[in-house]
Amino acid sequence: MTISGKAKLAGVMGWPIGHSRSPRLHGYWLERYGIDGAYVPLAVPPDRIEQAIRALPALGFRGCNVTVPHKEAAYRTVDRLDATARRMGAVNTIVVGEDGSLEGRNTDGFGFIENLKSGAPGWKAADGPALVIGAGGAARAVVASLLDEGAPLVWLVNRTRARAEELAADIGGNIETADWVSRETLLEGAALVVNTTTQGMAGQPALELDLRALPSSAVVTDIVYTPLMTPLLTAAQARGNRVVDGVGMLLHQARPGFAAWFGREPEVTDGLKAAVLQG
Ligand code: ATR
């Protein structure tokens, strides 16, 4: 493949970066839409992240994604933040302005909500309380976006309760924390269950959650997408609940960046999903 001198440039900064699926994702869209552009993996060590971000305009980059462990450093480095990035304290998408300034955005919550809307048609955050399990970085975007979308209440349960309390205090709004052992009793009133922990990932034990008390109308989703059908989703589907797998969050969170850098609103399709999951 030859990249022309006029190619629109973007990429993803991480450390390490070899496992990122974003180049495949954006590469699929670039090819699909016949755009003269390139999206490259950028391995940036932590002590050079600020320098690398600052160099984007000089290199002619239209922007980039930022992944682990650089999202907080990006938050501190950019010139402007959108409201969501400010609330998250983390940036996953940088857009270089006409004047060379750097705008930091956070599209993780957008990706989470869009994935639910397309994976469970008719689902609305306002349908009822959501039970969110886990209180790491991913939980932050999940909880904030659910509240922004009109969830009446979020129950936040984490193995280490103090972390859930910290997150709840940070985000604000109608969040209640509970002990890890009481997570199953909360299922009874839940319209949505979200696993944001690493439990259920290939090589990890399954999330321990007996779904017996969950109403059959509730939707169950997982942030984990390797495997696509986690033990939690398999169990939920077997008892008749609608389930939404986690890869869609990755696909949808990429849309705003692609549109800003390459000038076209991209679509999330089965072909894209297959390309991203391949290999
Ligand atoms: P990130 O910030 O990338 O989302 P993280 O900080 O590693 O990820 O958080 C992972 C989540 O999985 C946490 O909520 C963690 O719970 P703790 O805060 O108690 O560590 C949760 N987690 C990891 N292993 C777990 C286990 N064996 N049982 C229950 N929860 C677990």
Side-chain angles (χ1 to χ4, degrees), residues 68 72 133-140 157-161 163-164 180 183 195-199 204-208 223:
V68 182
E72 288 78 19
I133 301 171
R140 224 181 154 74
V157 179
N158 193 47
R159 179 180 57 175
T160 314
R161 183 167 175 177
R163 252 186 122 189
W180 183 244
R183 64 198 184 284
N195 174 38
T196 74
T197 76
T198 47
Q199 300 297 95
Q204 297 280 337
L207 176 73
E208 278 182 47
I223 295 300

Side-chain angles (χ1 to χ4, degrees), residues 18-39:
H19 296 295
S20 172
R21 293 177 194 248
S22 292
R24 211 182 290 169
L25 204 176
H26 288 274
Y28 178 92
W29 279 333
L30 287 171
E31 198 167 316
R32 176 85 212 267
Y33 303 129
I35 293 170
D36 184 12
Y39 182 102

Side-chain angles (χ1 to χ4, degrees), residues 10-243:
V12 54
M13 294 185 186
W15 184 260
I17 199 61
H19 296 295
S20 172
R21 293 177 194 248
S22 292
R24 211 182 290 169
L25 204 176
H26 288 274
Y28 178 92
W29 279 333
L30 287 171
E31 198 167 316
R32 176 85 212 267
Y33 303 129
I35 293 170
D36 184 12
Y39 182 102
V40 293
L42 299 162
V44 180
D47 63 340
R48 310 199 81 176
I49 184 64
E50 189 178 336
Q51 200 182 352
I53 290 172
R54 288 257 149 245
L56 285 168
L59 292 168
F61 272 56
R62 302 209 161 198
C64 71
N65 284 124
V66 181
T67 188
V68 182
H70 298 323
K71 291 185 182 186
E72 288 78 19
Y75 169 84
R76 292 190 298 269
T77 305
V78 294
D79 301 311
R80 278 191 316 283
L81 294 162
D82 77 357
T84 316
R86 189 169 302 121
R87 187 150 177 224
M88 293 294 105
V91 161
N92 76 337
T93 303
I94 296 174
V95 178
V96 176
E98 297 277 331
D99 58 354
S101 64
L102 302 168
E103 184 188 325
R105 306 183 185 176
N106 193 308
T107 66
D108 287 333
F110 169 82
F112 173 72
I113 296 291
E114 288 290 299
N115 185 36
L116 274 170
K117 285 184 177 168
S118 69
W123 172 87
K124 295 186 303 302
D127 288 345
L131 172 62
V132 177
I133 301 171
R140 224 181 154 74
V142 165
V143 170
S145 63
L146 283 171
L147 291 170
D148 288 349
E149 278 286 307
L153 170 66
V154 172
W155 285 306
L156 184 60
V157 179
N158 193 47
R159 179 180 57 175
T160 314
R161 183 167 175 177
R163 252 186 122 189
E165 279 164 3
E166 227 172 276
L167 197 154
D170 238 36
I171 302 274
N174 210 6
I175 307 172
E176 286 178 13
T177 65
D179 280 330
W180 183 244
V181 289
S182 64
R183 64 198 184 284
E184 278 153 7
T185 60
L186 295 171
L187 288 172
E188 201 179 338
L192 175 74
V193 178
V194 188
N195 174 38
T196 74
T197 76
T198 47
Q199 300 297 95
M201 202 178 268
Q204 297 280 337
L207 176 73
E208 278 182 47
L209 190 69
D210 183 337
L211 294 173
R212 219 168 310 168
L214 187 68
S216 57
S217 57
V219 173
V220 180
T221 188
D222 209 320
I223 295 300
V224 169
Y225 60 86
T226 48
L228 214 46
M229 283 301 283
T230 59
L232 172 69
L233 296 185
T234 304
Q237 191 170 56
R239 62 189 298 286
N241 289 96
R242 286 201 290 172
V243 302

Side-chain angles (χ1 to χ4, degrees), residues 111-112 114-115 225 245-253 268 273:
F112 173 72
E114 288 290 299
N115 185 36
Y225 60 86
D245 68 57
V247 76
M249 180 173 171
L250 169 74
L251 308 181
H252 286 282
Q253 66 75 32
V268 170
K273 187 169 173 174

